[in-house]
Amino acid sequence: MKPAPFDYVKPASLEEALELRRRHGAESAILAGGQSLVPDFNQRLRSTETVIDINGLSALSSIEESQDMISLGAISRYREIETSALVAEHAPLLKMAIPEIGSPAIRNRGTIGGSVSMADPGAELPACLCALGANFELARAGSKRMIAAQNFFTGRYETALDNDEILTRIDVPKNRVGFRSAFHEIARRKTGYAMCGVAAHGKVTHQSVQNLKMVFFGTDDTPMLAVNTISVIEGCAINDVPPAELDAALSEDLHPSDDTHGSAKLRMHYAKVLTRRVLAQFVSAHGEE
Amino acid sequence: MTNASNDNHLFRPNSYIGRTVPRPNAKRLLNGRGNYTDDTKLPRMVHVAFLRSPYAHARINKIDKNQAIKAPGVVAVVDGHDIAEVCAPWVGVLAHLEGMKSAEQHALAIEKASWEGEPVVAIVASTRALAEDALELIKVEWDILPVVTDMEAALGEDAEIIHESLGDNLAWRRTMDAGDVGASFDHAAHIIEERYISNRHTGVCPESRSIVADFNSADDQMTIYQSTQAPHMMQSLFAKHIGLDTHKVRVICNDVGGAYGIKVHAYPDEFATVALSYMLGRPVKFVADRRESFLSDIHARDHRIDTRVAVTANGEITAFEIDDWTGVGPYSAYPRTSAMEALQVLNFTGGQYRNRNYKGRATVVYQNKTPMSQYRAVGHPIVTMITEGMVDDAARAIGMDPLEIRRRNLIADDAYPTTSASGLPFEKLSHQASLDKLEKMINYAELRKDQAAARERGVYRGIGIATFIEMTNPGVASYGVGGAPITAQDGATVRLDANGNTTVAIGVTEQGQGSETIVAQCVASALGITLDSIKVITGDTDVTPYGGGTWGSRGAGIAGEAAVQAGKALRENILEVAAIMLQTDADSLDICENNVINHRDGEVRMPLSEIGRICYFRPDTLPPDFQAELVATRHYVPRQYPFAFTNGVQGCYIEVDIETGLIAFKKYCVVEDCGRVINPQLVDEQIRGGVVQGIGGALFEECRYNDRGELLNGTMSNYLLPTMTDVPDIEVAHIETPTSESELGAKGAGEAGTGAAAAAIMNAINDALSPLGGKVTQQPFTPERILSAIGKI
Ligand SMILES: Cc1cc2nc3c(=O)[nH]c(=O)nc-3n(C[C@H](O)[C@H](O)[C@H](O)COP(=O)(O)OP(=O)(O)OC[C@H]3O[C@@H](n4cnc5c(N)ncnc54)[C@H](O)[C@@H]3O)c2cc1C
């Protein structure tokens, strides 16, 4: 299919982009990597009056380091993040997750800002950024605000982003001493979306895991922090987390539903399998030290 | 016909037969210089988009076209009534499928739509985008009707009847009863019953269906550019339904980006495109987008089969019984029908085994889903799944090794000619040799050891074996006798030009598999020339001899033979001229590497360019009573056998992750016997590509519907195709048992890979799961189905 007609503008500065956004609001759409937006347009699932292409805004494409965090410009490509030495050192969870996103062609174009703005319930990075406690900078003409990743995702394909805003930057706290990350997902095909996945980050010692953030994707409308599961895990020695309690907690935390790739039952089963894989990884990671 | 003899050019040392040579068209395609139907751009050309039914079954009360007709760029808005005035309806039945019934089908639905995606209104505009914009302005008032989705419920008492004129939803039913099944079951040591399910999937062509129709009213000439497998068939059909003489319709088929049987059918939207060009007197283009491809391309393989097999304590299979149900959408496809899959399931099941007791029934019903019909390896994946599933069922019941039970029951290599229990004639097959070869190739004994060791570690691996038969080189029995304008013969015209180069025009088409390469190899070998001096022309009904096109694994076996015979005939003509010019006997001469040579010592006497020069520019130097003929045409159709069966065996070794239900391939081997191998690389590619499509059906592909008859996964992100990262290396080996019906001896190879892959994979999964007491019998074998088979979810 062909997209419905739209106007196309490619602003040269962020100010110009924000001004366009202010003027067109709900009748505009931001074009980043285009890997979700363009297919939606082409299938006429979505249309807009004005497409604002932000690919020319070099200010949004940097990956920088400050004292206790790294800042990723919204149009940082998956591929740039995957190969960034800063990310590898300070936010290894992102580096673990990115190879699981689509195929190389998609990772060459797709952006971190596009991924979180799209808020696909099956996407990897929203879950990772929640697990890492990232903060998002949202700009509108004349002002800016920061929002925690956990509060940004409000529903299936829904976010806290207003029509006149642009997501400009993502701040990820640097890995602290003793903290470990784990990432696992299960997909029908290597190059497709996962049926269920988990991003985990916490302080791992030889006895236990503390300060754990364990966030599932593919199970709920938004990335789901598994609070009950976390308290079961944190509440006992890492080597003997009681399986029955773990499974019961997961059943409380997650609310999967059926779709064409798998039933709710299957996704819940996978969440259990993945949780064990995360724990096994923490145990062996600790053993390496 | 004679078989390979000593002075046969096909098999002399420098022949191209049996050699891997590069495809002459590969460079062009890789350079982006292909010429697909969508590359056709004609003056005054307009584009059509179709409003398709959003409902699986709904009456059309009113169509309001007023807004759409006024939209920018719109040239015409046409509904079913309008189009019916220029395009006659059709009924997809064939006379030899006795008792088959189907309803009249129109290019655009009239009165009601019977599947989600059926074309209802055509919008013609200056661009496709504008046509789609206008499409949103059409208002249709629908009355939603009850739907028939489940194939068995379709014949239930209270089922909605889709076409009242038919009386019920039964399309066709046939039974078969050979030998004495009852007695065999009475005396069997074990009887194993099972239900197998093959879910609906489709052939996803990289290039979607595409057509440009260009009617020139000044000379009453319809020129059609179409991505098709059967140009002459389409010529007949378009002529018939638009009401033109056949010679007034020219079908040109340039490059085709994959077809797999999907492009061998006549589609309502393509008829509509041709009718629109006729109405408007200008070129009209239709290129299906991916969504409408999923909704309107032929689907296939939706079958439920109850099976029963009888086996003696020492492993002799003494009876097969099947009851096959299939739901084929609301209309039988045209002109090949939607019953061939069921027919082949009924005819071919158990065909590789000695057993003489066979009973079967096939039931084909209508339902409100996309029409089903032929897709690569028509019926074979189902046949092989149930046959090889039953054989493994029997082996497990008596505790016999799967290779051993096959060895005991396969038709012996020295038993030919023979027939199957269902009456299929087999000229000569090589089941035993193929099985022996596979056993070594896959290293069967070692795998069994590895499997046992892995089980000790809680790792579940399995070996799956699937022997198969494949129908190739179809003769007139397939369609011609049923009254369809589908020719089983093919023709080749070979012409020497004034510079000594050769042009071959042939009825088969090229759709990416290398037909043109094969044809060039056949002509070059028969004529004695080099490949670089040949140009092959396909896909133009005004230019090529009348031929069936490319389907049914017929290209190499049928068109290849026509090419060989045409090449030989031209060689004789050339040698006749050469003999006159050289004042010698034609018998003492031969052609080799573009030269006329002495047969005896190979001495070069004259280049072919000299023959061309004399015959075309200086015929005055030849005797006055002699006329040279540097063009020869030959046709070929197999007559002795209704089709040439081939055979082979696939084996795979897989690991099932019993936590996730995901499968990893550890080894995949295929031994196949397509008779004479003309180009080993092309045959291997056919086998590999076929296996990949088989893996698609086995593990990923499934058209999923809800109970309102709506397709739930009509996009490339939801309809899962296997990608490069999902398929294993596939090792291919050959046994060559040429058919003696033709000089070339080639049978087909295009469908063998697809036919047996699902069976091999199913048997491997079930072998892996056997210690856990689980078994899967429903394709695709998804993680969900595997995990529920072993009670994990
Ligand atoms: C075949 C295929 C497979 C895929 N597989 C995966 C997968 O496995 N996992 C996965 O996570 N994703 C997958 N994707 C989606 C891919 O990751 C997309 O790139 C991503 O979802 C969107 O990023 P983008 O930069 O392309 O954004 P776009 O498509 O340009 O935009 C997406 C949405 O976000 C909005 N937007 C983009 N940037 C901003 C911004 N800075 N501020 C405000 N709004 C903005 C757009 O307006 C649009 O609504 C796949 C895509 C394809 C085509």
Side-chain angles (χ1 to χ4, degrees), chain B residues 8 11 36 65 82 90 93 138 156 182-183 221 252 275-276 339 354 365 421 438 450 488 492 589 675 692 752 769:
Chain B
N8 193 318
F11 310 111
Y36 296 90
K65 304 184 268 192
D82 306 329
W90 57 89
V93 296
I138 293 177
Q221 179 71 40
I252 297 172
L276 286 164
R354 278 202 323 266
V365 305
L438 183 96
D450 178 77
L589 300 172
V692 169
L769 299 186

Side-chain angles (χ1 to χ4, degrees), chain A residues 1-2 44 189 263 269-270, chain B residues 133 289 659-660 721 784:
Chain A
M1 276 176 93
K2 313 291 177 203
R44 294 198 180 215
R189 289 182 310 183
S263 66
H269 170 75
Y270 281 168
Chain B
D133 290 347
D289 68 30
E659 294 301 331
T660 62
L721 285 171
E784 181 115 36

